[in-house]
Amino acid sequence: MTSRRSPWSYPLWIAHRGGGSAAPENTLAAIRTGAAAGFGMVEFDVMLSRDDVPLLIHDETLERTTDGVGNVSAHNANALRQLDAGRWHGPTFAGERIPTLDQALDCLLALDITANIEIKPATGFDRRTGEVVAHAVAARWPAGVRPPLLSSFSMDALESARESAPDLPRGLLFERLPEDWAAQVRAHGALSVHCDQSALDVQQLRVVRETGVPLLCYTVNDAARARELIAAGVAGLFTDMLDLPQRCCT
């Protein structure tokens, strides 16, 4: 396989869902927590409300991380923004709201950090979600500032994002790398490939490294595994443990 090098300017360490296990996921508090811990990059998930507003939330349903019930896509943004998205994590975060993508982008810019934005479409809304998310990022992000990296398990969402904002970088997200992952990267014009670290073997790591395609791994919470992946040339590690960079590198 021909070796090549892709441009890569993103941090090695990425705080999973904003602030890992230290804050309620996919909230502004989480993003601030990740930044305060020294992370130059955070990851969060974006889904559309019923009225097409992109909001930070992981699940299609509200019960796990808010005091609401039902599907995210069944509620307008104004109603979703009234829900408590922090109390489940602890009383310190009571009253934390589901942020809009615009609010999250403003927060990133104020903190001078970037993000991996996972496009997380509700069932049946793949292309629309990719379009809206990419358009919102392209419209709000300043020229000349390193842009967020878009990723998704949905190839339809990524293709729609590409059509909406072709200059934004994109990463293909898999649980386990398929045999044709490199062909898919080329077909989608993607910058990077992301996968579950527990599904990677030594041979796959070697092959990906030889291609020069940046490989990002989730979710890495063990220092020994992190050191192994770094030595293998992995370009990015998503973690829930905000002290892992210090534990891994000391």
Side-chain angles (χ1 to χ4, degrees), residues 8 10-16 18 34 37-43 113-116 146 216-217 219-230 234-250:
W8 186 253
Y10 293 91
L12 171 65
W13 293 101
I14 307 161
H16 189 222
F39 283 75
M41 187 173 188
V42 299
E43 180 265 355
I113 63 173
T114 191
N116 176 183
R146 179 182 55 190
L216 282 66
C217 292
T219 304
V220 183
N221 293 326
D222 177 77
R225 180 58 168 163
R227 285 191 289 268
E228 179 182 20
L229 292 169
I230 292 168
V234 168
L237 302 175
F238 300 91
T239 186
D240 293 315
M241 311 303 293
L242 299 190
D243 65 340
L244 189 61
Q246 289 73 34
R247 291 195 288 114
C248 175
C249 302
T250 56

Side-chain angles (χ1 to χ4, degrees), residues 12-243:
L12 171 65
W13 293 101
I14 307 161
H16 189 222
R17 299 186 188 174
S21 60
E25 64 181 63
N26 289 314
T27 61
L28 297 184
I31 295 172
R32 295 187 185 108
T33 299
F39 283 75
M41 187 173 188
V42 299
E43 180 265 355
F44 53 76
D45 308 282
V46 178
M47 188 178 298
L48 298 184
S49 63
R50 181 170 61 187
D51 49 345
D52 273 0
V53 176
L55 300 165
L56 274 60
I57 192 164
H58 178 275
D59 297 0
E60 286 197 46
T61 53
L62 294 162
E63 286 82 354
R64 184 176 65 86
T65 58
T66 80
D67 58 353
V69 295
N71 290 340
V72 175
S73 60
H75 299 272
N76 288 338
N78 284 342
L80 294 170
R81 292 276 298 128
Q82 302 308 308
L83 300 177
D84 189 312
R87 185 180 293 277
W88 68 271
H89 191 276
T92 302
F93 296 102
E96 193 70 23
R97 302 303 177 191
I98 301 173
T100 66
L101 176 56
D102 282 351
Q103 288 177 309
L105 294 173
D106 288 344
C107 186
L108 294 174
L109 291 167
L111 294 168
D112 193 25
I113 63 173
T114 191
N116 176 183
I117 300 175
E118 182 180 339
I119 302 169
K120 201 83 173 178
T123 302
F125 294 90
D126 296 64
R127 290 192 59 82
R128 182 59 178 162
T129 308
E131 175 190 357
V132 171
V133 170
H135 177 77
V137 175
R140 205 169 194 89
W141 203 259
V145 179
R146 179 182 55 190
L149 175 67
L150 307 182
S151 69
S152 187
F153 285 103
S154 169
M155 298 302 116
D156 285 342
L158 282 178
E159 187 58 34
S160 183
R162 182 184 189 180
E163 293 168 2
S164 181
D167 292 335
L168 290 177
R170 297 170 305 282
L172 303 190
L173 185 52
F174 301 103
E175 290 185 6
R176 182 183 298 272
L177 288 180
E179 291 185 3
D180 66 342
W181 68 267
Q184 291 196 51
V185 166
R186 290 191 296 270
H188 286 276
L191 175 62
S192 58
V193 62
H194 310 187
C195 70
D196 186 339
Q197 58 87 19
S198 67
L200 274 174
D201 58 37
V202 174
Q203 173 65 11
Q204 286 176 314
L205 282 166
R206 183 187 66 78
V207 170
V208 177
R209 184 174 185 176
E210 288 178 354
T211 68
V213 176
L215 173 64
L216 282 66
C217 292
Y218 67 89
T219 304
V220 183
N221 293 326
D222 177 77
R225 180 58 168 163
R227 285 191 289 268
E228 179 182 20
L229 292 169
I230 292 168
V234 168
L237 302 175
F238 300 91
T239 186
D240 293 315
M241 311 303 293
L242 299 190
D243 65 340

